[in-house]
């Protein structure tokens, strides 16, 4: 029977990063993955493929505006969805192959099959052909991730009523895509197909889209997407989703009790994700699972079984790939006797639409609820020379700082390249910078990053220079 110091169940960003860090620290490490390819949801049916389609559709959309830049595109410009999907898959295959390379490079043993606990130190691996083997592991890390959630009355057929997984491999551009849920995943995939020519309607239970983010970001993104042609039905509770041949009929009730009916050829159910623990046999290892299906952990991500840890989407907190990665590294270093830490307040969130949306720290709504005295500095992208030069004038940067100490409490931005710009805010807040600290840093001109400096200047006493 093979024996290991650490075994990770699940090869998503949390799992494979945990495996690499364990190997770097000298542990004999194994990783168990039930699918033939490594990388989990993120690499195979999540972050990477969706960004590939967002990039391809963005190129197509940009072609529609090339004349504004003095570039005349003659002849027909057509969407070849099949080739677009093929390119997406090539990006996925290359990325997943990269993870396999990293496993080999770090001498990590990879097992393909479903990992289930026989005891706190014994794990059975059941392969596709029904055969199995059992390994012994001194410590284990559960990184089994999450699956798309649904509503009890919706029958997902994976043909017309679909999840994000199927939305990444459609064989045609929908005529009318009805999206249930106005969160990150629904909005991103909605913009992909909107750009390619679909009519897109979003039904959201809350009173705004991307409800977990600062209200100002939601308001601006809604405005921009409406301008692009997306339709929104916020404060609407879905009552039924029925397939009728090649049509899908969605009925929803608004705040006044009125029922609306939307008919499309596809409906994307995007109401969040749920922790995935099927087949894990957690109870055999003494691992407690909460009523919500999450693995119960302490502040060190240790489960009720002292030698078993859990990370990523399967535990509490934001379901983000980079959060899972940080947790994977943390557990590996704890096992090595080190004392790492994670500041969950400084895990950034990003929406990869165009304009991009990114945020870190507290929202304005959270500060109000906590009765924290704060000040606000905001700066619009349209006032940036770099934004005007590239015709990316939608959006703004908003900085929230403590009214007394000037410490930055939250940074919220929507605009070009915000997914990358947010790293500056994370760095500043990690070192507990004040708004004035940021305002006195030199930012290259012309860049999008100047909006952060200007917002900081605005927060320090209405000192913005270019607005």
């Amino acid at each position: 029977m093979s024996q290991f110091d650490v075994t990770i169940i699940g090869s998503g960003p949390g799992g494979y990063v945990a495996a690499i860090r364990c190997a770097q620290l000298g542990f004999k490490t194994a990783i168990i993955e039930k699918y033939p390819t490594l990388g989990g949801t993120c690499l195979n049916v999540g972050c990477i493929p969706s960004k590939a389609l967002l990039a391809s559709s963005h190129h197509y959309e940009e072609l529609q505006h090339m004349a504004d830049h003095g570039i005349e595109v003659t002849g027909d410009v057509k969407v070849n969805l099949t080739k677009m999907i093929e390119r997406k898959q090539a990006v996925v295959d290359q990325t997943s192959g990269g993870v396999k390379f990293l496993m080999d490079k770090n001498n990590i043993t990879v097992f393909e099959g479903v990992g289930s606990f026989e005891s706190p130190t014994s794990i059975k691996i059941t392969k596709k052909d029904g055969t199995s083997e059992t390994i012994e592991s001194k410590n284990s890390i559960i990184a089994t991730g999450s699956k798309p959630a649904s509503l009890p009355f919706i029958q997902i057929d994976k043909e017309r009523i679909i999840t994000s997984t199927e939305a990444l491999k459609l064989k045609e551009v929908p005529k009318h895509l009805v999206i249930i849920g106005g969160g990150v995943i629904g909005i991103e995939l909605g913009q992909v197909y909107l750009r390619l020519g679909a009519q897109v309607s979003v039904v959201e239970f809350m009173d705004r889209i991307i409800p977990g983010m600062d209200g100002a970001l939601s308001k601006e993104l809604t405005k921009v997407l409406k301008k692009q042609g997306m339709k929104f039905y916020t404060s609407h509770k879905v009552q039924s989703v029925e397939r009728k041949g090649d049509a899908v009929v969605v009925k929803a009730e608004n705040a006044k009790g009125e029922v609306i009916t939307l008919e499309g050829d596809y409906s994307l159910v995007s109401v969040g994700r749920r922790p995935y623990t099927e087949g894990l046999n957690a109870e055999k290892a003494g691992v407690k699972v909460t009523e919500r299906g999450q693995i119960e952990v302490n502040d060190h991500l240790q489960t009720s079984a002292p030698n078993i840890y859990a990370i990523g989407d399967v535990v509490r907190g934001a379901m983000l790939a980079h959060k899972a990665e940080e947790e994977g590294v943390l557990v590996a270093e704890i096992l090595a006797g080190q004392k790492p830490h994670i500041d969950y307040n400084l895990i950034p969130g990003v929406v990869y639409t165009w304009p991009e949306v990114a945020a870190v720290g507290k929202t304005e709504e959270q500060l109000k609820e906590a009765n924290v005295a704060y000040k606000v500095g905001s700066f619009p992208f349209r006032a940036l020379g770099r934004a005007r030069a590239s015709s990316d004038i939608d959006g703004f940067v908003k900085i929230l700082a403590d009214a007394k100490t000037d410490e930055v409490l939250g940074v919220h931005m929507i605009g070009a390249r915000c997914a990358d710009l947010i790293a500056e805010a994370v760095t500043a807040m990690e070192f507990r910078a004040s708004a004035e600290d940021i305002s006195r840093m030199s930012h290259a001109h012309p860049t999008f990053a100047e909006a952060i400096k200007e917002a900081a200047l605005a927060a320090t006493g209405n000192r913005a220079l270019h607005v």
Side-chain angles (χ1 to χ4, degrees), residues 68-69 381-382 384-393 446 448:
D68 297 340
H69 293 266
F381 266 55
R382 66 178 54 252
L384 288 177
R386 179 69 178 85
R388 288 194 294 271
S390 64
S391 299
D392 291 306
I393 59 174
F448 294 116

Side-chain angles (χ1 to χ4, degrees), residues 164-200:
S164 57
T165 301
E166 293 76 47
L168 293 166
K169 53 185 179 182
L170 292 181
K171 291 180 169 55
E172 63 179 356
V173 176
K175 296 179 182 66
H176 183 195
L177 176 62
V178 181
I179 299 174
I180 299 170
V184 177
I185 296 170
I187 295 299
E188 287 183 354
L189 290 172
Q191 192 177 50
V192 167
Y193 289 106
L194 182 73
R195 289 166 173 168
L196 301 182
Q199 178 186 342
V200 177

